[in-house]
Amino acid sequence: MARIRGMMAASLDGFAADASGGVGWLAPFDAVNWGYDAFLTEIGTVVMGRTTFEDALHLSQDWPYPGKRAIVVSRTLPDRPGGGPGGDVEVWRDGVPALVPRLRALADGDVWIVGGPRLQGEMIALGALDRMQLAVTPVLLGRGKPVFPPSVAPPRQPRLQSAEPIGGGLAMLDYSFEG
């Protein structure tokens, strides 16, 4: 059974993107090793919303998740959107609640809910997220896209497993969600 995980960067004041939706404020931390490569070895499937998918295609010439199953949650994306390993990206149109059992049944690694505070927030609200890692940066944006959008109280609350400085003033917070 796959675990469903989140991993993302956040500003100290709780934003995942600036007011224009950009993440350029993360550039000064590109050289910091925050465990991404080790994290990715545990992942068999990446799940993202349309915006994160389109950003991934525009930010890099190469697909950033080679060898990983890719699922894009979108009601408006074409069935064969391109990108991904050999263009192999599945578009999921049936809503997040119907996707969770399918993700749980996977047996080839954990599932990463990539970026997208809205999608991660929906997973949390459903009680589906098992683990969340946040790389908190020493940046105050003042406004932007919040890491956790307003939602109903989730059925499971996070419990801090570890907190460690990782260089450049960043701290990695690792939470598990318990029932």
Side-chain angles (χ1 to χ4, degrees), residues 21-23 48-60 64 145:
V23 293
M48 63 196 81
R50 180 181 183 147
T51 301
T52 300
F53 172 70
E54 289 175 343
D55 287 348
L57 293 179
H58 291 114
L59 292 175
S60 175
K145 183 183 254 184

Side-chain angles (χ1 to χ4, degrees), residues 58-156:
H58 291 114
L59 292 175
S60 175
Q61 295 285 71
D62 299 319
W63 178 244
Y65 315 108
K68 310 295 181 196
R69 177 184 301 105
I71 300 171
V72 180
V73 178
S74 174
R75 294 193 193 287
T76 59
L77 201 62
D79 285 336
R80 302 295 294 170
D88 187 19
V89 173
E90 177 184 351
V91 177
W92 183 267
R93 300 183 191 291
D94 296 332
V96 175
L99 179 59
V100 172
R102 174 159 180 240
L103 298 176
R104 291 268 185 235
L106 297 173
D108 61 349
D110 288 345
V111 175
W112 178 21
I113 308 304
V114 181
R118 189 169 132 212
L119 183 56
Q120 290 198 57
E122 193 167 349
M123 287 287 189
I124 290 169
L126 290 169
L129 204 66
D130 299 307
R131 184 175 176 193
M132 169 59 84
Q133 293 169 270
L134 288 174
V136 180
T137 64
V139 174
L140 297 170
L141 292 175
R143 60 192 177 107
K145 183 183 254 184
V147 172
F148 301 108
S151 67
V152 298
R156 302 189 308 164

Side-chain angles (χ1 to χ4, degrees), residues 8-32 34 55 59 115 117 134-147 168-171:
M8 63 189 329
S11 67
L12 186 59
D13 53 352
F15 296 104
D18 62 26
S20 65
V23 293
W25 53 276
L26 290 171
F29 308 104
D30 284 348
V32 175
W34 51 302
D55 287 348
L59 292 175
L134 288 174
V136 180
T137 64
V139 174
L140 297 170
L141 292 175
R143 60 192 177 107
K145 183 183 254 184
V147 172
L170 280 82

